[in-house]
Amino acid sequence: DDEATAVVTVGSTKFDALIEAVDSAEFLEVLRRLGIRRLKIQKGSGQYHPLALASKGDDIDVQVLEYTPDLASELRKAALVVSHAGAGTILDC
């Protein structure tokens, strides 16, 4: 699959502030300008669930998960990674 993908990850923790920060039409517009067509959000155990992305991402495939077992592989393939720069995420990249 050669669609440009962005991954937003909080790792194994919760970081609702990061998920809230990317849950906006402005963030989607930046992704569009970068040529991103798929967005995967790994939100961890946080309580915040992105709603703006789901309703405004018609041309970008948006997927929200609590956890993904193959995150390391997805991070290495991603065109863009947005994270809180935890040790696990850095090692996986």
Side-chain angles (χ1 to χ4, degrees), residues 29-92:
E29 183 56 33
V30 169
L31 295 180
R32 284 184 191 98
R33 283 190 230 143
L34 292 172
I36 301 294
R37 294 294 163 247
R38 179 176 293 142
L39 172 62
K40 181 169 268 192
I41 299 174
Q42 185 266 315
K43 71 179 200 77
S45 60
Q47 299 301 307
Y48 185 82
H49 189 82
L51 299 174
L53 292 175
S55 64
K56 301 203 182 315
D58 294 339
D59 58 335
I60 296 177
D61 177 27
V62 178
Q63 184 179 18
V64 179
L65 307 161
E66 284 185 24
Y67 174 76
T68 181
D70 198 25
L71 184 62
S73 173
E74 292 183 40
L75 291 174
R76 286 189 294 272
K77 291 188 283 186
L80 174 69
V81 175
V82 178
S83 79
H84 71 325
T89 303
I90 298 231
L91 289 172
D92 285 342

